[in-house]
Amino acid sequence: MTGTDTQFPLELNQPRLSVKKPEQRYDKQGEMDDTERLDRAMRGFIKDFGATAALYMESCVHCGQCAEVCQYYVQTGDPKYTPIWKLEPFKQAYKRETGPFAPLFRIFNLKRRVTVRELEEWQELIYDSCTQCGRCTMVCPMGIDIASLVGLARHGMAAAGLVPHELWATVERAKREGSPLGATPAVLKDRIAWLEDEHSVEIPLDQERADVLMTISSIEVMKYPQSIVALARIMKRMGASWTFRSDGYEATNFSMFAGDQQGQRQASLKLIEAAIAVGAKTLILPECGHAYQALRWQGANLYGEPLPFRVVQIAEYLAEGIRQGKLQLQPVQSSVTFHDPCQIVRRGGVTEAPREVLRALGVELREMDAHGAYNWCCGGGGGVVTIHRADPLRYRTYQIKMQQVEDTGAELLVSTCSNCRQTFDDGQAHFHWDKTAQSLLELVADHLVTEQE
Amino acid sequence: MSTETDLLDFARGPALEAALIIMVFGIFWRLVGVLALRRPRDLSEPRVRHAWLGGVKTIFTRMWPRREFRPRILHWEAVSYLFHFGLAVVILGLVPHILLIRDITGLSWPGLPTGVITFAAGVSLISLLALLAHRATHPVLRQISNFDDYFSWLLVFTPLLTGLMAYYHLGGRYEDLLALHMLSAELLLAWLPFSKLAHTVLFAFSRGVTGTIYSRRGAQT
Ligand code: SF4
Ligand code: SF4
């Protein structure tokens, strides 16, 4: 345990609540009667309903293929985990209320009105058992992007106050303190000062102007502070003018996973405004999958106009540095397998960059049987890792990942997402597994060719 | 004129017309009802230009499952293909069908020998039965299936069966069977836009849209 951990105790290191058979439990927020809750759920769901989502709602042929690739169905064999079934109440509401044949459905009562009770029951399906990994999207013969529909369903659930408690609490804390894990601006400042001292690196904070705005996941700040040091070392080699900003550093966006759009927008705006304030040409997102999804692909849409800077994930930036010859690396003498974070690779499009970096590290890359866009999720995405009651289920899905990694026989497991990393750490402890997930960023920082002073 | 020929005339005339009108109007309504909804412009910086090309590509590539997914789905996918191919051969290859299509659209092409058609119809019927059994027994399919799935199945199965029976004069007078065949096919056409059978049209749109979104991100589709 590092010194900072005693200085800033982490809840994440506390033993997890591990009830063998958790009571079926539905969490609710706010006081309102059922009619209002239902009404809010439906309005929240419909609010951003465009042609694309409607098209998806119309297109399912009930072939069941999506179940066969979803980690939850594959591991449990329970048909309630069929991806498209997770949307059933919302699909029903859509057909009854807004679809092109809605009047027919209503007059003949072909689709019943959804009840709050049903939404409560579906909470487990919409949150605990979907990491929004998007694997089902890749198999669906109708090309339905189920993961994005789960996102819309979560908008409805959040509006109705039907979010699993820990995920909701995580979001509330992030809104209150600026970080879901207590990495407040003051904590960040302390941490940076301590890391600068300890590792004799320069970590610019709150510079007025900079070409690059660096952001960070509070998972890294609190659990993997060595990542910050790695960033500083790499930025020095890149020779770029860069800074962290205490008014816009937190890259995680659990509001997005909870379905709280207001919160999602606020979190993204902080980063966007900070980048504009320093005149950044580039905003670098850290090793965090959903941060990439939130800012790279949804940021501009919530902001309302195209972003006046480019947004890159750190692996993309590393690959650029390697291409430009700024990052010279010593070979890593190991075989490596790479875990593709779903939101960066399958749903983000950054498939090649991390592999380019690994090639530059001279590793023997042993791909998993299904990798890249067809990768299996670590089981902790979509906010699932925060939900305690979902732990037993999460460990079952994690077994797929463990097996995949084992099958490669690679010595090292590398990824580029700190949320995956903490899921791996937790799973490793749970199963007493001998593999630790490494950070691509740190691997690069540790293998920079020593500088001639 | 006997009532049977009346029935056949009805099937060939007003019923066919009505079915076609309902089908065309219904599909139009369903598509417009969906596509006329908001389509906000995506303001994120695309990684790939002309992403719609990726959308078009996906319409084709999604016809066959990826290697990673095959072990768990390929067998039933293959059965489904047998059914779809068989049906297509029957609909587009049988000379009377081609004549009917020529009457309606002016398009025409050479027909296939009846032996081929019979074989295709048989394959189609058998695979449909297998798919029904699969739907009725597999836990996932039991969970997600509804009235639409079974009724649509019935409406596809009936014209195939009555068509074969009419052709081989099995189980009744030719005119009766033919009238039955036509009426059941017309019911199928009229039901199509309101049901899952609309996937005959929708598949291109939903695949295309997802293909475009993912291509824009530089992701695989
Ligand atoms: S997004 Fe992933 S976890 Fe969610 S339903 Fe699809 S395959 Fe399952
Ligand atoms: S794979 Fe697609 S079409 Fe098939 S059941 Fe799932 S969502 Fe529906």
Side-chain angles (χ1 to χ4, degrees):
Chain A
M1 206 123 302
T2 61
T4 38
D5 282 331
T6 30
Q7 203 179 342
F8 308 109
L10 310 178
E11 295 86 341
L12 276 173
N13 288 346
Q14 301 298 319
R16 300 292 293 259
L17 188 79
S18 58
V19 188
K20 269 269 151 23
K21 268 194 191 143
E23 291 278 302
Q24 186 67 298
R25 189 191 86 194
Y26 326 113
D27 297 330
K28 281 191 192 186
Q29 294 88 34
E31 292 295 328
M32 56 189 118
D33 60 27
D34 283 1
T35 337
E36 184 177 355
R37 221 178 261 283
L38 191 64
D39 190 47
R40 284 195 187 194
M42 291 309 149
R43 271 187 288 135
F45 174 60
I46 302 288
K47 199 165 70 67
D48 303 293
F49 221 84
T52 303
L55 188 59
Y56 292 154
M57 285 285 171
E58 297 289 335
S59 296
C60 177
V61 291
H62 287 169
C63 69
Q65 291 187 356
C66 47
E68 304 292 344
V69 305
C70 174
Q71 51 193 336
Y72 295 98
Y73 173 70
V74 167
Q75 284 302 83
T76 62
D78 188 334
K80 74 176 176 181
Y81 295 127
T82 302
I84 198 71
W85 184 251
K86 296 173 186 173
L87 293 157
E88 185 63 17
F90 287 99
K91 219 170 130 192
Q92 208 157 307
Y94 161 82
K95 295 242 157 148
R96 190 184 155 97
E97 310 298 342
T98 42
F101 300 126
L104 290 180
F105 281 112
R106 275 200 302 272
I107 295 168
F108 300 110
N109 202 25
L110 297 176
K111 297 276 176 206
R112 280 180 311 101
R113 195 184 281 282
V114 176
T115 64
V116 169
R117 183 86 200 118
E118 278 167 319
L119 291 184
E120 285 167 3
E121 276 172 36
W122 250 266
Q123 189 179 86
E124 190 225 349
L125 298 180
I126 291 172
Y127 288 100
D128 304 30
S129 58
C130 179
T131 57
Q132 290 190 265
C133 74
R135 206 166 189 265
C136 47
T137 303
M138 305 307 289
V139 78
C140 174
M142 294 297 287
I144 299 172
D145 189 11
I146 302 166
S148 71
L149 292 179
V150 169
L152 287 180
R154 288 182 179 189
H155 289 171
M157 296 294 274
L162 289 169
V163 180
H165 180 71
E166 297 89 347
L167 182 55
W168 176 81
T170 304
V171 165
E172 281 304 299
R173 188 165 185 206
K175 288 206 272 193
R176 213 172 44 239
E177 300 178 2
S179 151
L181 300 178
T184 60
V187 171
L188 179 75
K189 215 174 219 159
D190 274 4
R191 241 179 207 212
I192 285 180
W194 173 77
L195 290 168
E196 280 188 314
D197 252 22
E198 187 88 1
H199 299 270
S200 352
V201 286
E202 201 197 327
I203 307 174
L205 176 68
D206 289 333
Q207 302 290 317
E208 279 192 15
R209 308 297 291 173
D211 289 339
V212 175
L213 177 71
M214 183 65 72
T215 65
I216 193 81
S217 150
S218 50
I219 301 172
E220 290 168 303
V221 179
M222 305 310 276
K223 292 193 86 174
Y224 311 114
Q226 63 273 29
S227 267
I228 302 176
V229 178
L231 280 174
R233 295 219 165 105
I234 281 158
M235 292 312 286
K236 187 166 176 223
R237 291 296 167 93
M238 293 295 289
S241 83
W242 70 289
T243 187
F244 281 112
R245 288 277 297 208
S246 48
D247 56 355
Y249 59 94
E250 176 59 86
T252 66
N253 198 329
F254 282 93
S255 291
M256 177 176 79
F257 283 147
D260 166 15
Q261 272 198 299
Q262 202 68 38
Q264 178 183 349
R265 181 158 184 276
Q266 275 166 20
S268 291
L269 278 187
K270 274 193 190 173
L271 298 181
I272 294 169
E273 279 160 8
I276 293 173
V278 293
K281 297 189 190 73
T282 303
L283 184 152
I284 298 184
L285 290 170
E287 299 202 298
C288 173
H290 78 273
Y292 192 69
Q293 186 63 223
L295 197 70
R296 176 68 179 88
W297 298 117
Q298 300 187 17
N301 295 324
L302 291 177
Y303 183 56
E305 50 184 289
L307 302 179
F309 48 85
R310 62 184 196 125
V311 178
V312 297
Q313 202 263 342
I314 184 69
E316 293 179 276
Y317 195 69
L318 293 174
E320 280 176 25
I322 289 164
R323 255 176 266 148
Q324 294 162 0
K326 290 180 185 162
L327 298 178
Q328 311 258 340
L329 304 175
Q330 298 165 355
V332 175
Q333 309 287 1
S334 311
S335 54
V336 165
T337 190
F338 181 71
H339 166 69
D340 294 273
C342 308
Q343 306 299 333
I344 293 174
V345 179
R346 176 164 36 238
R347 306 192 71 217
V350 184
T351 317
E352 260 312 299
R355 291 176 167 79
E356 203 179 323
V357 175
L358 286 170
R359 276 195 298 273
L361 281 164
V363 304
E364 181 206 333
L365 178 61
R366 296 197 186 167
E367 295 281 15
M368 296 181 216
D369 56 348
H371 61 271
Y374 305 94
N375 171 50
W376 288 97
C377 179
C378 67
V384 169
V385 73
T386 64
I387 307 171
H388 289 189
R389 66 176 186 208
D391 282 357
L393 193 57
R394 178 164 58 83
Y395 291 133
R396 295 186 71 175
T397 59
Y398 185 75
Q399 284 174 302
I400 300 183
K401 197 75 238 180
M402 265 192 344
Q403 190 60 50
Q404 264 202 305
V405 174
E406 284 295 320
D407 287 347
T408 64
E411 291 156 286
L412 292 184
L413 163 63
V414 175
S415 191
T416 185
C417 169
S418 51
N419 195 60
C420 297
R421 191 178 181 187
Q422 70 168 348
T423 305
F424 274 111
D425 281 357
D426 183 64
Q428 178 182 9
H430 180 84
F431 288 105
H432 308 291
W433 192 29
D434 61 0
K435 281 252 158 34
T436 309
Q438 318 265 330
S439 134
L440 182 68
L441 163 70
E442 287 168 29
L443 200 63
V444 169
D446 291 345
H447 291 82
L448 289 170
V449 171
T450 335
E451 224 167 20
Q452 266 93 48
E453 297 296 332
Chain B
M1 262 210 274
S2 71
T3 42
E4 283 80 7
T5 25
D6 281 353
L7 194 63
L8 191 54
D9 285 342
F10 172 70
R12 278 190 173 136
L16 179 63
E17 240 166 71
L20 287 173
I21 289 170
I22 295 176
M23 182 181 80
V24 171
F25 184 74
I27 289 180
F28 181 76
W29 182 266
R30 189 159 179 182
L31 276 180
V32 169
V34 169
L35 299 178
L37 290 175
R38 283 183 320 120
R39 262 174 300 171
R41 199 158 68 86
D42 189 343
L43 299 168
S44 61
E45 173 71 20
R47 197 192 307 278
V48 172
R49 306 271 155 197
H50 308 299
W52 64 271
L53 287 171
V56 174
K57 195 182 114 205
T58 309
I59 297 178
F60 297 98
T61 52
R62 209 40 86 82
M63 286 169 78
W64 198 238
R66 286 277 314 191
R67 173 187 64 79
E68 290 82 351
F69 300 145
R70 281 176 211 156
R72 289 183 71 101
I73 62 172
L74 194 61
H75 37 297
W76 283 106
E77 175 105 359
V79 178
S80 162
Y81 259 97
L82 280 180
F83 153 67
H84 279 92
F85 266 130
L87 189 66
V89 168
V90 173
I91 293 176
L92 301 177
L94 184 72
V95 174
H97 290 166
I98 298 173
L99 295 178
L100 185 68
I101 294 169
R102 196 191 61 193
D103 285 351
I104 300 168
T105 64
L107 301 170
S108 130
W109 53 86
L112 290 170
T114 49
V116 175
I117 303 286
T118 308
F119 179 74
V123 167
S124 227
L125 277 174
I126 292 166
S127 41
L128 260 183
L129 283 169
L131 288 167
L132 179 68
H134 182 46
R135 187 170 288 287
T137 51
H138 192 284
V140 166
L141 294 173
R142 284 173 63 109
Q143 172 89 266
I144 63 179
S145 298
N146 55 23
F147 173 78
D148 183 2
D149 294 300
Y150 292 104
F151 191 61
S152 295
W153 182 93
L154 188 70
L155 287 193
V156 175
F157 188 82
T158 317
L160 265 171
L161 186 69
T162 51
L164 266 185
M165 286 163 65
Y167 192 81
Y168 289 100
H169 304 266
L170 294 170
R173 243 166 43 101
Y174 174 72
E175 286 78 9
D176 293 348
L177 290 169
L178 186 61
L180 208 61
H181 170 64
M182 289 199 70
L183 286 171
S184 62
E186 284 151 6
L187 198 58
L188 169 68
L189 294 181
W191 170 252
L192 186 140
F194 307 97
S195 65
K196 67 181 281 194
L197 298 177
H199 75 270
T200 39
V201 181
L202 289 170
F203 83 95
F205 291 87
S206 58
R207 282 184 195 170
V209 163
T210 301
T212 307
I213 294 173
Y214 277 69
S215 301
R216 199 173 174 282
R217 298 178 179 183
Q220 259 179 285
T221 58

